[in-house]
Every structure is written in C-alpha cells, then in structure tokens.
Amino acid sequence: MENFFRRTGIDVPEPVRRFLQGEAEGGLRVEEYRDGNTLVVRTDIPGIDPDHDIDISVTDETLHITARRTEPDVKDLPGYRSEVRYGEFSRSVPMPWGANPETVVASYIDGVLEIRVQLPEHPGGPATKVHVSRGRNQSPDAPENYVT
C-alpha cells in the first residue's frame, strides 16, 4: 500500500495511511508480569519527554496510561517519510485485588516506561465457606412458593 501511495504521488495524511495499512490501533502495547510482590507493567514509548508527554493515574482499581508523541518539524521537508506513529496513545490495565494505588511508581529509561505497583503479600482475603442446603431456599427474602 505504501508503494502505491509513493508511486502515484498521493499525499495521504498519517492517520489515514496507518488505517489503510492496518495500523489503526491507538493503544499502547504492554507487557505485564509479577516480580515477587510487585506488578510490573512496561511499554515502549521512544522519543518523548516523560515530564510532559506521559500521564499516569489510578481510578476504580485501574491503572491508566496516556502518552503523546508529536510529529517533528521536518515533516514538510522534501523526501520526508515516516513509519513512526504520532498522536495520543492510551491503555488501561486492571490492577489485581489488594493493590495499593499509593505505591505506584514509574520510571522512563531508554524509551521504556516501567510502572511498578506493590501487591499484598497474601492476595485475597480468607476464603468463606458457603453452606449449601437441601430443599427450600432459607432466605428470609425468598417468596414462599419459590423452590430451589
């Protein structure tokens, strides 16, 4: 497809070109793993300024990552061609039960954003055994003619 655009001289805007080439995804690709009692989420975002181009927040037990990459000023120069994705990218990652949002730390080294979240030493609370009765539902809210 790119060769077609280049041969015909059609100037196609970057988002349209990416869509036609099957690159319509606007999300960040992440790798996620546990390192002991720490959840580690990593994503490659080269060529940005982490102080201005990355937003990380935690709401409703979900880690939200947003990053922005702006096109360089050289895009109007003759012969400019780019396969780099520009614009805003985001991803939401559910945090495991018991993860403390106050422990989220992030670092950006060599184009890789790494986010670490402390997990509880004993995930989940103690299990509660539920008794299964035979016969009628014993719930006080159940209708009288309701049979389980």
Side-chain angles (χ1 to χ4, degrees):
M1 181 73 63
E2 175 141 349
N3 288 337
F4 172 76
F5 292 140
R6 196 176 314 148
R7 280 182 292 170
T8 59
I10 299 173
D11 186 23
V12 178
E14 175 71 12
V16 174
R17 182 193 63 76
R18 285 195 326 251
F19 175 77
L20 293 173
Q21 291 178 330
E23 301 176 27
E25 180 183 320
L28 294 169
R29 294 179 181 213
V30 300
E31 65 182 11
E32 183 178 334
Y33 60 92
R34 291 188 185 204
D35 181 13
N37 288 337
T38 303
L39 170 67
V40 180
V41 178
R42 296 169 44 113
T43 185
D44 294 336
I45 317 172
I48 63 167
D49 179 355
D51 294 329
H52 298 101
D53 299 330
I54 297 176
D55 293 316
I56 301 171
S57 63
V58 178
T59 58
D60 300 325
E61 300 173 359
T62 302
L63 178 68
H64 303 281
I65 309 164
T66 302
R68 290 166 295 285
R69 183 182 301 125
T70 55
E71 288 188 80
D73 294 334
V74 297
K75 70 178 185 172
D76 294 328
L77 294 178
Y80 175 77
R81 185 178 83 77
S82 176
E83 294 180 2
V84 177
R85 295 184 336 165
Y86 295 100
E88 185 168 292
F89 313 98
S90 63
R91 182 67 180 262
S92 295
V93 178
M95 295 193 345
W97 182 90
N100 183 352
E102 301 296 321
T103 65
V104 175
V105 293
S107 62
Y108 181 80
I109 300 171
D110 296 333
V112 178
L113 175 65
E114 181 176 283
I115 303 167
R116 293 180 162 263
V117 183
Q118 284 302 118
L119 302 174
E121 287 191 34
H122 304 289
T128 303
K129 183 157 177 69
V130 176
H131 175 72
V132 178
S133 66
R134 294 180 178 250
R136 295 180 61 84
N137 185 343
Q138 301 299 317
S139 171
D141 298 331
E144 286 188 34
N145 296 331
Y146 180 75
V147 177
T148 58

